[in-house]
Amino acid sequence: MLSFRLATPQQPSWDDYFAHRAETTRDGRLARFYGEGSLHPDTPIGEAPLVALDLETTGLDARRHDIVSVGIVPFTLDRIALPKRRYWVVRPRRPLEAASVAFHRITHDEIADAPRFEAILETLLEQLAGRLVVVHFRHIERPFLNAAVHEAVGEEFKFPMIDTMSIEAQRYRQTAWARLRRWLGRPSVSIRLHNSRARYGLPGYQGHHALVDALATAELFQAQVARHYSPQAPVSTFWR
Amino acid sequence: MEVEILEIRDHMGRHPPFEALSDDLLDEVASQVEVSYFRAGTDILAFGDPLEELLYIRSGAVEIFRRSGELYNRLVEGDIFGQFSLLRDRRVRFPARALEDTLIYFLPAAVFEKLCEQDEAFADFVELEKPRLKAAVEAQDKSNELMLTRVRKLLTRAPVMAEYSDTVQQVAKRMQDASATAALIVRQSDDESQRTYTDRNGMRWYLVGILTDQDLRNRVLAEGLSSSVAVSEVVTENIICIQSDESVHEAMLAMLRSNVHHLPVLHRRTPVGILHLSDIIRYETHNSLYLVNNIFNQPSVEGLARLKPDVRSAFIHMVNEGANSQMVGRAMTTIGRSFTRRLLELAEEDLGPPPVPYCFMALGSMARNEQSLVTDQDNALVLDDRFDPAQHDAYFAELAKRISDGLAACGYSYCKGDVMATNSRWRQPLRVWKDYFKEWIVHPNPEHLLHSSIFFDLDGVYGDEALVEQLQALVAEQAPKSPFFLAALARNALNRTPPLGFFRTFVMEKDGRHKDVINLKRRGTAPFVDLIRVHTLACGSQAQNSFERLDEIAQTQLLPEGTGERIRDALEFISMVRLRHQVLSLEEEREPDNTVEPANVSDTERHHLKDAFQVLSYAQKFLKFRYPVPSRS
């Protein structure tokens, strides 16, 4: 039922987009990333190589704010390969504001010696290539990565993402029951990462660290598939 | 250390066996784990699958099964599984399934092996259940050294100090203010000697001697001296002192040797208190020997009954001082026997000498030297064969009634199964007893088996003990030759079984049900005692105490190597938990019993109890195998 939405005529398939970008990009790093190709839409989710990704940023607006850290954890439905985790602190283009420091707890000292985003781009792209990215709330990760790559390379950077928050929204906000609750004036179920995890019996982690949140997202996705889907469900059911 | 690993590290670091790892090893563990989520009801490990990792439950709960599908264990957050297979052929022996939504951390076999190699405690924990329990029992035994109570434990306050130049009145006033019966006399000194010490203000003092109430009376008042005379005139010099870490026993001997009632106590050279004979007496009244002596001095049943609180405090005292279960059992039994003997003496004084010789026989826990505070009376009378019911039974019936009522008054409740000498069936001449015993061995029907398990723990308490010795010899001779009896008794010993273990704060039964209390006697010590009895009878031993029985069984080939040790450790551990909980009840002014709520048991204690239950379970299985029903051909 989701794939039908993704297959709307005006959106080219991810396969086509990857092929097109692999040919047209002028950046070698992006060429290698897109050259790996996108997963076939019918690939069962249980067989898909996945990678959980989380960014900490100086704010919510990709045009005004910057990435300060990136965490990734490769995984599959069977296993989260935590020993293969990667984590970078990067130096934002604009100075840190105190309010955001309180949030992600990365201090001025830590970023003073940190590399610029561009310096980690090659390794990051190598880690993401050939894997389907899983995030919690893609409306941060997608625009921020796009903006950062655009800044570094001058090109667009898009790829399919699975968004565990929209899976939660769909399950707990868009059902008849959720509408009835809203109509009755009851508060909506929280779909924030921590609250969503609690619904699946997952433990509470210390939030707002890119790597912890990436791990937390990977666990949440395993739990969501275990509860609501089958490992046979095609990846196109999930990606956006 | 990276933050995300801290999440994992901190969690694992709170649970055994990881809690005792060095920081470096714990870091390595945390950085190597992989993670996976299992929905409630899904399989985590399937029998026979290859296994290359140790599994750690981060959240949720997991059920472990035997190959047969029988529930083996239920584990929760912080527990590990898979170690058994990792140490052997790396194939899953015990399948596992998520009972709740569960998050598992997987630790690679290579790291697991490294931990086993580099950390002995870790290896002990994962290797076998035995060393863990053994270590726990050994730790308990170590605290036995406390039985040698140090003098400092009896001191309640600092000594009254006075200077050499003070007048006796000044010293007397100071003693009055402190309600003390003695003061230590010192003078300033710059010399270094065995008697000098430096106080907290850096002043150096010489300990001259002691002044007591008695000195004030004998040397001041009686001599007509003025109250303004200097204390130096009357102080006792050349005093005997004792070090604060000497035993109370040593202090008592020192007082006896030098005939003094006050003993200055020093820590190295600094005076820290004065021990008075009454401090020792107060302490010793909790001592069971003192209590036994007191029992024999009581002129009436009422007097005996008044000692009930003393029995309780002796019991509390012993358990708190770290006595092991055998010591407590023996002391409590000595007390119980003393009550019985004293009651018999009083009854004989009143009723006159017995018309024919008899022996008052203890059964069950008293015969085994395993009484605790919560105990029924089980007793019987063995009479000389010249016994003529018409002529003599009135005397013995009255005797039995007095003992039974007297014991009840002293806190030993009547036997619910009527196994008491007041029951004419259990007040019989020796030849009838012999017939009983033979009949029970030859025809082990359920009723006879019940009798065997009560009466075959037997010991004489008072009277002609040869009568009971003949019965003990008969059992030891007949039982080993009666495989059918042994097989029946072995089966009978399986009636009471231990639980599977614990699940969070509940007792978990073999069928998976949860309960919130457990009777440690019925589910723990009693089944052990039962199975030890079977082996004892099989090897023809006349030992009565379960631990002594285990010693004798160890001389034979009845049990596989090491099994006896395991049974001993497990029985000791369960017994001590039971005793400690009884003391806890007494201290909280509740009536002590044999039940324990797992919620009130520490994590480690639950682990050890579970191990002990497992030892019991294996021992029971072995019993069935060791004493098969012989084919009657």
Side-chain angles (χ1 to χ4, degrees):
Chain A
M1 77 184 155
L2 270 179
S3 48
F4 125 85
R5 269 197 236 151
L6 284 167
T8 40
Q10 66 271 28
Q11 197 175 16
S13 78
W14 283 116
D15 227 12
D16 294 345
Y17 176 80
F18 269 55
H20 171 70
R21 289 300 308 278
E23 269 179 35
T24 56
T25 181
R26 278 164 290 128
D27 183 86
R29 297 166 293 191
L30 285 180
R32 282 191 292 280
F33 173 79
Y34 284 117
E36 279 286 320
S38 167
L39 290 177
H40 190 277
D42 292 338
T43 311
I45 191 69
E47 293 169 17
L50 307 168
V51 59
L53 178 138
D54 188 74
L55 303 178
E56 293 298 313
T57 57
T58 57
L60 298 175
D61 184 352
R63 286 165 306 180
R64 295 195 292 120
H65 298 117
D66 291 313
I67 298 172
V68 283
S69 64
V70 182
I72 58 171
V73 180
F75 75 111
T76 64
L77 277 196
D78 289 334
R79 202 56 80 79
I80 299 167
L82 198 53
K84 298 206 177 103
R85 69 198 176 269
R86 296 301 295 265
Y87 175 69
W88 301 272
V89 174
V90 292
R91 186 146 42 103
R93 291 160 302 172
R94 285 153 287 212
L96 285 184
E97 290 160 33
S100 75
V101 172
F103 201 58
H104 49 62
R105 298 205 193 96
I106 292 171
T107 59
H108 295 87
D109 279 353
E110 279 179 87
I111 57 161
D113 301 327
R116 294 278 185 199
F117 180 81
E118 193 184 350
I120 69 155
L121 181 60
E122 181 160 17
T123 325
L124 176 63
L125 286 173
E126 279 167 15
Q127 297 293 320
L128 300 185
R131 294 184 165 267
L132 183 48
V133 173
V134 181
V135 300
H136 194 77
F137 195 48
R138 66 183 185 281
H139 300 298
I140 289 287
E141 273 74 13
R142 186 167 274 163
F144 270 89
L145 283 176
N146 187 35
V149 171
H150 200 272
E151 162 95 9
V153 182
E155 287 185 31
E156 182 187 64
F157 182 48
K158 286 207 172 122
F159 52 87
M161 281 181 173
I162 293 174
D163 184 349
T164 49
M165 187 191 263
S166 26
I167 293 174
E168 282 308 277
Q170 221 177 309
R171 290 284 155 185
Y172 296 100
R173 287 228 171 132
Q174 292 156 22
T175 58
W177 174 245
R179 286 195 197 101
L180 180 65
R181 274 174 64 100
R182 257 200 308 280
W183 185 73
L184 289 171
R186 313 280 298 173
S188 313
V189 171
S190 169
I191 51 174
R192 300 180 63 170
L193 183 55
H194 183 78
N195 303 69
S196 301
R197 286 169 57 84
R199 273 193 287 280
Y200 297 88
L202 287 165
Y205 284 161
Q206 177 85 51
H208 302 303
H209 180 283
L211 197 46
V212 179
D213 284 356
L215 171 62
T217 303
E219 290 171 1
L220 176 59
F221 185 63
Q222 283 191 334
Q224 286 173 329
V225 176
R227 185 172 295 181
H228 306 302
Y229 301 89
S230 131
Q232 259 60 55
V235 292
S236 58
T237 313
F238 302 94
W239 73 22
R240 298 289 174 90
Chain B
M1 169 105 312
E2 299 161 71
V3 177
E4 83 288 357
I5 304 306
L6 274 181
E7 287 284 351
I8 292 165
R9 185 201 145 105
D10 289 353
H11 195 269
M12 296 182 93
R14 283 199 303 273
H15 294 93
F18 303 100
E19 62 183 1
L21 289 183
S22 70
D23 283 354
D24 285 351
L25 282 176
L26 192 58
D27 284 348
E28 178 159 359
V29 167
S31 66
Q32 292 294 317
V33 297
E34 296 197 353
V35 185
S36 195
Y37 178 88
F38 295 88
R39 199 182 165 201
T42 52
D43 288 333
I44 299 174
L45 297 176
F47 181 84
D49 280 358
L51 183 73
E52 292 296 334
E53 287 149 318
L54 180 73
L55 292 85
Y56 174 90
I57 304 175
R58 172 58 178 83
S59 62
V62 173
E63 283 188 321
I64 311 289
F65 298 91
R66 292 182 190 283
R67 189 181 180 176
S68 61
E70 188 191 341
L71 181 63
Y72 176 68
N73 204 352
R74 247 175 221 166
L75 304 173
V76 292
E77 183 169 332
D79 285 334
I80 55 170
F81 57 104
Q83 68 271 35
F84 188 82
S85 309
L86 272 188
L87 288 163
R88 286 161 188 84
D89 59 359
R90 300 220 171 165
R91 299 230 162 238
V92 174
R93 302 251 181 138
F94 299 101
R97 183 184 303 152
L99 177 65
E100 298 170 0
D101 291 340
T102 297
L103 192 65
I104 298 285
Y105 290 165
F106 294 84
L107 187 66
V111 181
F112 174 79
E113 279 169 0
K114 183 169 173 189
L115 293 177
C116 287
E117 266 169 39
Q118 301 196 353
D119 191 291
E120 203 173 332
F122 184 92
D124 277 354
F125 187 93
V126 298
E127 171 51 53
L128 282 171
E129 311 278 331
K130 187 205 80 182
R132 207 156 87 181
L133 193 58
K134 193 176 177 62
V137 171
E138 277 165 8
Q140 268 178 5
D141 269 350
K142 257 186 213 146
S143 60
N144 276 345
E145 290 162 18
L146 283 178
M147 283 298 272
L148 301 163
T149 306
R150 316 264 175 218
V151 167
R152 60 170 172 265
K153 210 174 163 186
L154 269 53
L155 297 178
T156 49
R157 59 175 173 197
V160 175
M161 308 293 288
E163 285 199 46
Y164 199 56
S165 51
D166 290 344
T167 65
V168 289
Q169 191 184 14
Q170 283 171 317
V171 180
K173 180 75 176 73
R174 212 168 286 175
M175 285 162 63
Q176 184 193 18
D177 291 346
S179 308
T181 57
L184 295 181
I185 311 302
V186 295
R187 64 173 157 78
Q188 276 196 295
S189 160
D190 288 332
D191 300 334
E192 181 71 21
S193 88
Q194 282 301 313
R195 283 288 190 76
T196 52
Y197 69 96
T198 310
D199 72 8
R200 248 177 285 164
N201 304 320
M203 302 264 277
R204 194 190 287 273
W205 299 95
Y206 177 82
L207 178 59
V208 181
I210 190 168
L211 188 75
T212 67
D213 274 356
Q214 203 180 2
D215 297 334
L216 288 171
R217 185 183 71 222
N218 295 351
R219 294 182 197 158
V220 182
L221 290 175
E223 296 290 326
L225 293 182
S226 142
S227 61
S228 57
V229 69
V231 72
S232 57
E233 300 291 316
V234 292
V235 65
T236 309
E237 300 191 24
N238 293 328
I239 48 171
I240 310 287
C241 296
I242 191 159
Q243 288 294 320
S244 63
D245 58 352
E246 291 274 13
S247 68
V248 172
H249 184 69
E250 198 57 42
M252 196 163 59
L253 289 179
M255 284 186 191
L256 288 174
R257 271 198 301 262
S258 30
N259 195 26
V260 295
H261 290 176
H262 290 91
L263 212 52
V265 180
L266 308 180
H267 174 65
R268 305 223 173 82
R269 290 195 219 155
T270 309
V272 291
I274 301 173
L275 193 67
H276 189 256
L277 184 61
S278 63
D279 296 328
I280 297 184
I281 290 172
R282 199 174 310 123
Y283 173 78
E284 285 289 309
T285 38
H286 296 308
N287 184 313
S288 46
L289 282 178
Y290 179 89
L291 179 58
V292 165
N293 191 37
N294 212 349
I295 288 172
F296 283 108
N297 288 330
Q298 293 304 318
S300 65
V301 177
E302 293 71 34
L304 288 170
R306 274 197 294 274
L307 295 177
K308 243 163 75 173
D310 294 4
V311 178
R312 292 192 161 201
S313 34
F315 174 76
I316 295 174
H317 184 68
M318 246 182 307
V319 175
N320 285 344
E321 291 287 280
N324 67 25
S325 78
Q326 214 178 341
M327 294 159 90
V328 176
R330 185 164 295 146
M332 294 310 287
T333 304
T334 306
I335 291 168
R337 281 167 167 266
S338 304
F339 274 119
T340 312
R341 292 178 72 134
R342 184 63 189 148
L343 285 166
L344 282 157
E345 285 171 4
L346 290 172
E348 279 192 19
E349 274 172 27
D350 209 31
L351 300 173
V356 293
Y358 72 94
C359 185
F360 194 86
M361 174 163 78
L363 308 162
S365 62
M366 188 186 273
R368 292 194 309 271
N369 270 322
E370 290 167 16
Q371 281 196 307
S372 86
L373 197 58
V374 184
T375 192
D376 289 0
Q377 41 173 305
D378 287 312
N379 53 54
L381 274 170
V382 187
L383 308 166
D384 186 273
D385 278 339
R386 284 165 292 181
F387 170 76
D388 170 13
Q391 243 189 309
H392 308 134
D393 197 44
Y395 178 93
F396 290 111
E398 178 60 21
L399 185 81
K401 184 175 181 317
R402 291 197 180 195
I403 308 314
S404 188
D405 293 347
L407 284 173
C410 295
Y412 301 85
S413 45
Y414 295 109
C415 171
K416 290 175 201 80
D418 207 14
V419 178
M420 293 182 290
T422 47
N423 181 344
S424 63
R425 211 179 153 194
W426 310 133
R427 194 171 66 238
Q428 292 291 337
L430 181 61
R431 65 185 138 73
V432 177
W433 280 109
K434 284 182 173 167
D435 289 345
Y436 283 169
F437 280 23
K438 285 180 205 154
E439 170 69 8
W440 297 343
I441 292 175
V442 175
H443 296 118
N445 62 34
E447 190 200 348
H448 291 167
L449 286 168
L450 183 65
H451 292 329
S452 305
S453 57
I454 297 169
F455 287 87
F456 289 1
D457 299 342
L458 72 169
D459 204 14
V461 176
Y462 185 80
D464 186 357
E465 299 197 7
L467 293 169
V468 170
E469 280 160 20
Q470 289 190 52
L471 287 175
Q472 287 176 333
L474 181 145
V475 174
E477 199 217 297
Q478 297 288 322
K481 299 190 291 197
S482 314
F484 193 73
F485 165 72
L486 291 173
L489 197 64
R491 251 140 211 81
N492 204 51
L494 307 177
N495 286 342
R496 293 181 286 195
T497 54
L500 192 52
F502 299 96
F503 180 70
R504 303 210 165 104
T505 56
F506 297 100
V507 178
M508 184 175 42
E509 298 295 345
K510 292 207 165 93
D511 59 6
R513 277 177 308 138
H514 293 171
K515 290 183 186 155
D516 47 18
V517 294
I518 176 166
N519 186 316
L520 283 182
K521 182 181 175 190
R522 198 178 311 136
R523 310 296 301 280
T525 54
F528 264 125
V529 167
D530 285 346
L531 75 89
I532 292 168
R533 180 185 305 111
V534 179
H535 293 301
T536 308
L537 293 174
C539 69
S541 154
Q542 292 195 27
Q544 302 294 327
N545 178 266
S546 294
F547 293 100
E548 285 165 18
R549 285 175 164 180
L550 282 171
D551 288 340
E552 300 222 343
I553 294 166
Q555 308 295 314
T556 70
Q557 306 294 318
L558 276 175
L559 287 180
E561 185 81 20
T563 304
E565 279 296 301
R566 274 197 285 277
I567 292 176
R568 170 188 301 274
D569 290 342
L571 175 59
E572 172 64 23
F573 191 81
I574 300 177
S575 303
M576 281 319 296
V577 174
R578 176 178 161 220
L579 292 176
R580 280 197 294 265
H581 276 263
Q582 291 179 349
V583 165
L584 213 63
S585 297
L586 288 169
E587 287 174 346
E588 290 170 359
E589 294 180 359
R590 286 179 286 120
E591 201 48 37
D593 57 21
N594 293 313
T595 61
V596 165
E597 293 168 9
N600 297 333
V601 176
S602 76
D603 250 9
T604 344
E605 222 167 28
R606 273 205 293 269
H607 267 296
H608 295 327
L609 273 179
K610 189 208 140 58
D611 291 352
F613 290 145
Q614 202 156 19
V615 171
L616 175 54
S617 205
Y618 284 137
Q620 289 190 327
K621 280 199 183 108
F622 180 75
L623 200 63
K624 222 177 332 187
F625 154 84
R626 185 70 189 71
Y627 304 102
V629 183
S631 50
R632 292 197 145 174
S633 51

